[in-house]
C-alpha cells in the first residue's frame, strides 16, 4: 500500500521517525511529551539519526498523547510509548478502550496501527488485557516480539488493522516492495522470518495455549477483586452469602445422609 501520512505517539528518541522517513511519505507527525528527550537524543545520536530534523516532512508536537486531537487521517500509526506497566501507571491511560477508539478515528480506511506492548512474561495481565481490547476494536490483530539486548529480554508489539491480515500476507507483493524501496539488503527480515516471528509467539496470544488460559483466569480474579473493592460491607456480604449457599446446602445434604 502507498501510504502518505504517518503518526507516532511518543518515540522521543526519533528512531521510529527515521525509519518511516525512508519511505516516500508526505508527512510524519510525532507527538512527544518531553522535549528534553528529543533534544538529548538529537545531540547524542546525531550520526544515527542523520538529517531527519531538516526533513520538511517531519513534524514534532510537544504535548501529551492522551490529549492529541486532529482531523487528519493517517495511513500508519505507531504507539512508541513507555511500557504499560501495571505498577507505575505511567502510560496506562493510553492503553484503554476509549483511547484506542479515539486513535481509530484518526486512521484511514486501510490504515495500520503498531503498538509497543511491553512483555507478556513480566507483565502478563496488562499485555493480555491490551490484546483483548484490540481484538474487539480491529478485525486483524497479531502479536510479535524481538530480543532487545538493551532491555535484557524480549520486547513485544501488537499489529492491528481492519484491512490487512499480517498473519496471511501476500509475500509476492512484499518482495516487490522490498526491491521497490531499495530494502533488498535486509539483514533479518524475510518471508520465512515473518512466518516464524508470528508462530513463535502464539504461546502468548493463542486462546488454545495454557499460558493464555492461565492469564485469563488471573484477569478474571483481578476484575472480581476490583469489583469487591468498590462494594460496601452489605453488598460484599450478599455476594459471599450467594456464593456460599450452594456449598452450604451440599454440605448439609451430605451430613444428613451420614
Amino acid at each position: 500500500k502507498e501510504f502518505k501520512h504517518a503518526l507516532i505517539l511518543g518515540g522521543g528518541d526519533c528512531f521510529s521517525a527515521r525509519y518511516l522517513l525512508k519511505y516516500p511519505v508526505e508527512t510524519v507527525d510525532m507527538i512527544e511529551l518531553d522535549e528534553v528527550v528529543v533534544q538529548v537524543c538529537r545531540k547524542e545520536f546525531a550520526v544515527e539519526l542523520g538529517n531527519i530534523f531538516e526533513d520538511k516532512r517531519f513534524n514534532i508536537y510537544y504535548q501529551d498523547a492522551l490529549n492529541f486531537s486532529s482531523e487528519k487521517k493517517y495511513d500508519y500509526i505507531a504507539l512508541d510509548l513507555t511500557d504499560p506497566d501495571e505498577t507505575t501507571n505511567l502510560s496506562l491511560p493510553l492503553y484503554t478502550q476509549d483511547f484506542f477508539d479515539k486513535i481509530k478515528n484518526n486512521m484511514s480506511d486501510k490504515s495500520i496501527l503498531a503498538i509497543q506492548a511491553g512483555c507478556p512474561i513480566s507483565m502478563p495481565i496488562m499485555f493480555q488485557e491490551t490484546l483483548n481490547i484490540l481484538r474487539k476494536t480491529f478485525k486483524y490483530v497479531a502479536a510479535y516480539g524481538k530480543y532487545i539486548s538493551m532491555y535484557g529480554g524480549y520486547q513485544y508489539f501488537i499489529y492491528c488493522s481492519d484491512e490487512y491480515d499480517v498473519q496471511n500476507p501476500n509475500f509476492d507483493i512484499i518482495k516487490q516492495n522490498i526491491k521497490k524501496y531499495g530494502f533488498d539488503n535486509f539483514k533479518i527480515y524475510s518471508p520465512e522470518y515473518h512466518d516464524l516471528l508470528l508462530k513463535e509467539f502464539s504461546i502468548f496470544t493463542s486462546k488454545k495455549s495454557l499460558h493464555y488460559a492461565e492469564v485469563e483466569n488471573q484477569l478474571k480474579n483481578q476484575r472480581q477483586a476490583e469489583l469487591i473493592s468498590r462494594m460496601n460491607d452489605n453488598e460484599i456480604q450478599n455476594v459471599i452469602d450467594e456464593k456460599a449457599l450452594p456449598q452450604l446446602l451440599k454440605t448439609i445434604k451430605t451430613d444428613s445422609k451420614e
Side-chain angles (χ1 to χ4, degrees), residues 104 134-135 137-141 161-163:
K104 190 171 183 180
L134 293 169
R135 281 174 166 163
T137 310
F138 295 92
K139 183 176 180 180
Y140 301 113
V141 175
S161 179
D162 282 337
E163 180 69 20

Side-chain angles (χ1 to χ4, degrees), residues 80 102 106 120 145 189-190:
D80 190 359
K102 177 182 175 181
N106 283 111
Y189 184 81
S190 67

Side-chain angles (χ1 to χ4, degrees), residues 151-182:
Y151 296 146
Y154 275 91
Q155 198 69 11
Y156 291 76
F157 310 89
I158 301 177
Y159 165 101
C160 314
S161 179
D162 282 337
E163 180 69 20
Y164 301 105
D165 182 3
V166 71
Q167 298 186 85
N168 296 287
N170 186 322
F171 285 119
D172 289 335
I173 293 178
I174 290 176
K175 290 177 181 178
Q176 291 172 15
N177 285 335
I178 287 175
K179 291 183 179 179
K180 178 179 178 179
Y181 294 115

Side-chain angles (χ1 to χ4, degrees), residues 15 17 52 116 123 125 197-198 219-220 224 247 251 255:
F15 279 94
I52 67 168
Q116 196 287 99
M123 50 183 74
I125 291 179
L197 193 65
L198 294 170
L219 265 172
K220 181 181 178 181
Q224 288 177 345
Q247 183 60 39
T251 303
D255 290 343

Side-chain angles (χ1 to χ4, degrees), residues 74-87:
Y74 292 94
D75 304 301
Y76 175 83
I77 298 179
L79 267 61
D80 190 359
L81 303 167
T82 304
D83 283 352
D85 190 342
E86 305 104 322
T87 59

Side-chain angles (χ1 to χ4, degrees), residues 120-251:
I121 300 172
S122 60
M123 50 183 74
I125 291 179
M126 188 63 219
F127 180 88
Q128 194 145 313
E129 197 157 33
T130 301
L131 189 64
N132 289 344
I133 291 172
L134 293 169
R135 281 174 166 163
K136 291 188 294 184
T137 310
F138 295 92
K139 183 176 180 180
Y140 301 113
V141 175
Y144 55 99
K146 186 181 187 303
Y147 182 84
I148 300 178
S149 56
M150 186 177 79
Y151 296 146
Y154 275 91
Q155 198 69 11
Y156 291 76
F157 310 89
I158 301 177
Y159 165 101
C160 314
S161 179
D162 282 337
E163 180 69 20
Y164 301 105
D165 182 3
V166 71
Q167 298 186 85
N168 296 287
N170 186 322
F171 285 119
D172 289 335
I173 293 178
I174 290 176
K175 290 177 181 178
Q176 291 172 15
N177 285 335
I178 287 175
K179 291 183 179 179
K180 178 179 178 179
Y181 294 115
F183 293 152
D184 50 356
N185 61 343
F186 277 149
K187 295 179 181 179
I188 297 177
Y189 184 81
S190 67
E192 293 76 19
Y193 183 73
H194 182 112
D195 273 346
L196 178 63
L197 193 65
L198 294 170
K199 290 176 181 176
E200 183 179 354
F201 302 106
S202 63
I203 183 176
F204 302 115
T205 60
S206 172
K207 293 182 179 180
K208 296 180 181 179
S209 76
L210 292 176
H211 175 90
Y212 189 96
E214 181 181 338
V215 179
E216 275 296 298
N217 190 50
Q218 292 179 38
L219 265 172
K220 181 181 178 181
N221 292 337
Q222 178 176 291
R223 293 191 189 103
Q224 288 177 345
E226 290 173 352
L227 180 64
I228 291 174
S229 70
R230 293 194 292 268
M231 292 178 175
N232 59 42
D233 291 342
N234 289 333
E235 289 173 326
I236 292 175
Q237 190 60 49
N238 288 336
V239 170
I240 293 174
D241 290 344
E242 288 176 8
K243 289 184 176 180
L245 185 59
Q247 183 60 39
L248 182 60
L249 290 173
K250 183 178 179 181
T251 303

